[in-house]
Structure formats: structure tokens, C-alpha cells
Amino acid sequence: YLIRTPSWAEVAIAAEEETFDLWAERNLGPVVGEDVGSLDPGASGVTNFERYAFRLDPSNPLVDRSRLPKPYLRGDGHLHFEFYRTAEARDIVYELETSTDLISWRPGDSAFERYPAPWADGQPGRTAYRSTTPFEQSEPIFVRVRARPSLP
């Protein structure tokens, strides 16, 4: 195997593995219907699945906006994205996507790289991405973070 420099690893110690179904039962109570993940109780603009995936308050998801994906322009000249993910969950796929027109979206793998955020120590699930091209040298793009259920 090949270890590149710099290298890093991430370890999350969780009391138990979490699933959306367990989270929904614990936080939403008995819900009728199969697609409870796409529901948005309270019309906040945040679905139940997004509340689960980004570790938001189930009853008031916008009370702590710091957990939602947000961009930063840091001192290194690169665009950074940070968000919280549910580290103990294995049923979520997080995808960074880019677009030039808000209609056609493509994977952001070539535009962004995940990296260890030193300021995230002691904050389980905090995730950081950095643009591969300095902000001033890149073409204008839109970026979004999608969380979707993983396939069984």
C-alpha cells in the first residue's frame, strides 16, 4: 500500500450504530406512511432525513444553523465547506455536488477534497472540504451538500 503525505484517518467511537428508522421512532414517534424521511413537519424547509443526517434538532431544525453545510473563504485562498454528519450512522451517503447553472449537478470530487479540520477537535461528525483550486482562480460555481439514504 501507499501512504501519501499528509495522511490522516478519522475514528468515531459511538455507543451504538444509528439508523434513520431508530432515530425517527425515537424522535418522531409512530408515523404512518413509508416516506417519513421526505416529510417536513413545521414547513422549515428541512426534511426529516436531513434533520437526521446533519444532526439537527428534530423539532426545530433551524435553531442551530451551525450544523448545516456552509461555505467559508479561509486565509489559504480556497473555498471551504463544513457541516456536521451523523458519525454513528451507516445508512447515509454525503455528496458534494457542483453546478454552473443550478439545473445540471455533477459530483464535486474534482473540485473539492475532504481534509481533517484541526479546529474540529472534540466535535464528532464535523466534516470539512476544501476547493482544489484557489477561489480567485476558479470559475463561478454553485455548491451543495446532499445527504441521501445509502442502498441496503
Side-chain angles (χ1 to χ4, degrees):
Y1 59 89
L2 175 65
I3 298 177
R4 295 190 177 163
T5 306
S7 348
W8 63 281
E10 183 177 43
V11 176
I13 300 173
E16 61 184 60
E17 189 170 309
E18 179 79 293
T19 66
F20 176 73
D21 291 339
L22 290 171
W23 178 90
E25 184 179 314
R26 188 173 59 252
N27 292 287
L28 307 175
V31 180
V32 177
E34 290 182 23
D35 200 11
V36 67
S38 66
L39 298 178
D40 176 11
S44 65
V46 182
T47 67
N48 284 329
F49 190 80
E50 291 165 337
R51 295 168 198 220
Y52 163 66
F54 295 113
R55 298 178 56 202
L56 302 173
D57 181 327
S59 58
N60 190 0
L62 300 181
V63 73
D64 185 4
R65 292 176 185 258
S66 69
R67 295 183 173 279
L68 293 171
K70 65 182 154 227
Y72 293 96
L73 189 56
R74 295 211 181 268
D76 64 358
H78 289 261
L79 182 64
H80 295 249
F81 257 88
E82 296 177 18
F83 61 92
Y84 282 85
R85 60 186 172 79
T86 302
E88 58 275 4
R90 300 292 175 258
D91 58 348
I92 307 170
V93 175
Y94 296 90
E95 300 168 322
L96 210 65
E97 297 178 328
T98 62
S99 174
T100 56
D101 59 10
L102 292 175
I103 296 169
S104 302
W105 291 89
R106 64 180 180 273
D109 299 345
S110 63
F112 287 86
E113 62 186 357
R114 188 166 171 213
Y115 72 100
W119 57 88
D121 287 345
Q123 299 178 43
R126 192 162 175 188
T127 303
Y129 286 85
R130 172 180 43 222
S131 63
T132 54
T133 304
F135 183 72
E136 291 187 8
Q137 297 174 12
S138 64
E139 296 293 322
I141 60 169
F142 299 95
V143 182
R144 70 180 178 188
V145 178
R146 292 186 63 202
R148 65 172 175 80
S150 61
L151 299 174

